[in-house]
Amino acid sequence: MAEVLTKKETIDQIVKTAQKLDKMDLQILLTKLRVKKMQKDGVKPAAKPPKGVKLPSMDEIDLWKHESRKNYAGR
């Protein structure tokens, strides 16, 4: 029969195991946990434009980047 653990018991076991790891392994573990959470929750947009604002297309953004580089290089 499978053993059912409470959240606290699970966390306690994770902490006991993590205490045995060196610093680099702990950083790797933490990074993997964060990535797993991001995959589960999804990545939220960095900015939320107000309603009615037209978002630029990729072509418009590429044109802006090209123009800005061209203007910057001419200085």
Side-chain angles (χ1 to χ4, degrees), residues 13-69:
Q13 286 185 359
I14 291 170
V15 169
K16 285 179 186 176
T17 304
Q19 287 174 338
K20 298 174 187 174
L21 300 174
D22 65 3
K23 189 174 182 178
M24 182 58 73
D25 288 334
L26 284 172
Q27 289 176 347
I28 292 169
L29 176 63
L30 183 58
T31 301
K32 286 182 179 183
L33 289 172
R34 287 179 177 158
V35 167
K36 208 55 140 159
K37 183 171 179 2
M38 285 178 67
Q39 288 173 338
K40 179 182 170 191
D41 296 344
V43 179
K44 297 178 184 175
K48 187 174 181 183
K51 289 184 179 179
V53 173
K54 179 186 166 279
L55 297 177
S57 68
M58 290 303 291
D59 290 334
E60 289 174 312
I61 294 171
D62 287 341
L63 178 65
W64 296 342
K65 290 188 326 188
H66 176 73
E67 291 296 322
S68 70
R69 290 181 184 137

Side-chain angles (χ1 to χ4, degrees), residues 1-14 16-17:
M1 184 194 259
E3 181 181 352
V4 178
L5 300 175
T6 65
K7 276 188 177 181
K8 183 175 178 358
E9 292 170 335
T10 303
I11 291 171
D12 288 342
Q13 286 185 359
I14 291 170
K16 285 179 186 176
T17 304

